[in-house]
Amino acid sequence: MHIRLAKAQGVQTVIAVDPNTGRHQIARDSGADHVFAPSQSVAADIADLTDGGLDVAIMAVGRNDALTPYLGVLAPGARISAFAGFNSADVLKILANDIHYNEYEVVGASSCRLENFQAIAPLVSSGRLDVADLIGTQFPLDDVHAALDRVASGKDLRVGVDPWA
C-alpha cells in the first residue's frame, strides 16, 4: 500500500526491500521501481540509485534491522516512519547528532484517523490508487494450516481466517 500511495502521489522513484521474495512481484506490480532482498550490499545499491539519498524511509515491519542498514543513505531532512509494531523491549538506535545535523524527522504511525481516510478516498474513488487486488485470501478456521502456508508463501499481503465461515 505504501508503494501504491507513493506512486499515486507522484513519487518518482520507489525502492522496496523485502526479505520475502514471494512479495517482490507484488511490489513491482504495485509500482516499485527497484526491489531488493536484504543483503550486505543493498544500502550501497540504494545509494547508487538515489541522488543525495532517500527522502523517506518507511519501516513497515517491526524489526530494528529493517532500518538500521539504511541510515547511512538517508538524505538531509529525510523522514523516517515507523509504521509497524515492535516487541516491547526493542530499541531503535539512531545517533542523536544524525537527527540534529541531518534534520531527520522520525514519526510513528499505528492506525488511520478519519482525516487519513478522507484524504485517501478521492485517490481510491478516482482509480489513481487501486486497492481491490490487495484484499487477500480468506480461509475458514478448519483451514488454518493452509492459511499459514499461504502467508509463508508471500503470495498474499493479507490472509484472513474467519472462525464463523
Side-chain angles (χ1 to χ4, degrees), residues 22 44 61 70 82-83 109-110 123 128 142 148:
V61 61
Y70 313 107
F83 191 86
S110 65
L123 292 174
R128 285 182 48 208
D142 291 344
L148 292 171

Side-chain angles (χ1 to χ4, degrees), residues 3 7-8 10 25 30 39 48 53 91 119 124 159:
I3 294 166
K7 285 299 191 174
Q25 190 58 48
S30 294
S39 72
D48 290 342
V91 175
V124 174
V159 175

Side-chain angles (χ1 to χ4, degrees), residues 68-83:
T68 307
Y70 313 107
L71 290 172
V73 293
L74 295 174
R79 181 180 182 137
I80 302 165
S81 175
F83 191 86

Side-chain angles (χ1 to χ4, degrees), residues 17 19 38 59 61-70 86 90-92:
V17 179
M59 296 172 48
V61 61
R63 294 178 43 170
N64 290 344
D65 61 346
L67 175 65
T68 307
Y70 313 107
F86 294 83
D90 281 352
V91 175
L92 184 60

Side-chain angles (χ1 to χ4, degrees), residues 138-142 160-165:
Q138 300 291 315
F139 290 89
L141 185 57
D142 291 344
V161 177
D162 184 351
W164 297 278

Side-chain angles (χ1 to χ4, degrees), residues 9-74:
Q9 293 181 323
V11 174
Q12 293 296 311
T13 304
V14 175
I15 301 169
V17 179
D18 194 316
N20 187 331
T21 57
R23 290 194 290 246
H24 285 195
Q25 190 58 48
I26 295 169
R28 286 185 196 92
D29 292 345
S30 294
D33 299 287
H34 306 279
V35 181
F36 297 100
S39 72
Q40 294 293 330
S41 66
V42 173
D45 294 338
I46 291 172
D48 290 342
L49 292 170
T50 61
D51 182 23
L54 297 172
D55 296 317
V56 176
I58 300 171
M59 296 172 48
V61 61
R63 294 178 43 170
N64 290 344
D65 61 346
L67 175 65
T68 307
Y70 313 107
L71 290 172
V73 293
L74 295 174

Side-chain angles (χ1 to χ4, degrees), residues 112-132:
C112 294
R113 295 183 301 270
L114 179 59
E115 61 264 22
N116 300 129
F117 286 109
Q118 291 169 335
I120 298 305
L123 292 174
V124 174
S125 65
S126 71
R128 285 182 48 208
L129 181 60
D130 185 19
V131 296

